[in-house]
Amino acid sequence: MTSSRQRPRALVFDWDNTLIDSWPAIHDANNHTLESFGLPPWTFEETKARVRKSMRDSYPELFGDRWEEAGRVFYERFAARHLVTVTPLPGAEAMLAALRAAGFYLGVVSNKKGDYLRDEARHLGWDGFFGRIVGAFDADRDKPAPEPVYLALEGSGVQAGPDVWFVGDTGVDMECGLNAGCIPVLVRETPPIDEEFSAFPPAIHVGSCEALSILVRSL
């Protein structure tokens, strides 16, 4: 892992489990869908390990030609529950407020469906922090493809590249950041283990939203 410390002009964030804890709603809706199609449910740990790609990239592998039908079942269940369970991660709101006040452009790129993503941001009162909030199906391809990053930066005056930090908690996030030519930043309490990110290594690791805020504003 390298240690780039060039001050960014913009930060693009993953959403789920980078800024908010949404695993309970995702786990519930995914297991409801699996069971509706006669498949065994996953444990909570399996959900956390396996839910990485967007629905249009992952559900065809699970449900074959019926993946779009399965997607409707998932989203019907998810829509009924996600706003009452969405919970900000510690320090996330203070970080976003501080970075926005300091003049950084902020965006979101998530593999959650865009409408639900933006509903959650409005519910939390966070929509004003971000120039663009980009979810699954908003761009031609989903994360880890670079197109959602380009869309998130549209109109900002900042081009995807080393002036942009892509911030997330998974290998898919690191891959997306690198695919877009940005600086990939891992935010999670536990540091990377050997070979965990061998294909798409983060340039920076911090343990929390608060630590990220302090680092960025110190540059």
Side-chain angles (χ1 to χ4, degrees):
M1 182 166 54
T2 61
S3 56
S4 173
R5 289 294 186 268
Q6 177 180 328
R7 182 180 176 92
R9 296 177 61 200
L11 296 94
V12 177
F13 291 89
D14 171 50
W15 186 253
D16 293 316
N17 309 302
T18 296
L19 297 176
I20 67 157
D21 179 6
S22 61
W23 282 122
I26 292 171
H27 179 65
D28 172 78
N30 194 65
N31 273 353
H32 172 74
T33 306
L34 289 168
E35 292 176 316
S36 295
F37 284 78
L39 297 173
W42 296 350
T43 67
F44 192 71
E45 290 306 313
E46 283 178 314
T47 298
K48 291 177 70 174
R50 297 177 68 175
V51 175
R52 291 288 181 264
K53 298 180 181 179
S54 72
M55 180 175 286
R56 66 174 161 182
D57 290 334
S58 62
Y59 263 35
E61 298 174 5
L62 287 169
F63 301 103
D65 292 341
R66 300 182 69 192
W67 78 269
E68 290 179 301
E69 179 186 353
R72 289 191 289 271
V73 172
F74 175 95
Y75 280 121
E76 181 178 353
R77 178 81 166 195
F78 184 82
R81 296 168 180 252
H82 72 121
L83 292 182
V84 297
T85 62
V86 63
T87 304
L89 288 179
E93 183 168 1
M95 174 194 66
L96 294 171
L99 293 176
R100 182 70 170 177
F104 295 97
Y105 177 86
L106 308 180
V108 170
V109 166
S110 171
N111 276 337
K112 176 176 284 178
K113 192 175 180 182
D115 290 344
Y116 298 114
L117 181 66
R118 290 180 284 273
D119 283 345
E120 291 180 359
R122 282 191 293 270
H123 177 75
L124 294 170
W126 289 6
D127 47 322
F129 291 140
F130 304 109
R132 285 181 178 265
I133 299 173
V134 178
F137 301 99
D138 289 338
D140 290 338
R141 294 190 294 168
D142 299 323
K143 187 173 67 175
E147 285 88 344
V149 181
Y150 304 152
L151 183 58
L153 293 169
E154 197 171 279
S156 69
V158 182
Q159 298 293 318
D163 286 338
V164 180
W165 287 12
F166 192 97
V167 182
D169 68 312
T170 70
V172 170
D173 297 318
M174 302 303 99
E175 181 180 358
C176 183
L178 288 166
N179 285 343
C182 302
I183 301 298
V185 179
L186 180 69
V187 178
R188 71 179 196 191
E189 185 175 358
T190 56
I193 60 176
D194 291 345
E195 305 302 318
E196 182 182 5
F197 296 97
S198 57
F200 305 102
I204 299 168
H205 166 252
V206 294
S208 66
C209 291
E210 180 182 10
L212 177 64
S213 180
I214 292 170
L215 170 62
V216 173
R217 290 181 293 124
S218 72
L219 297 175

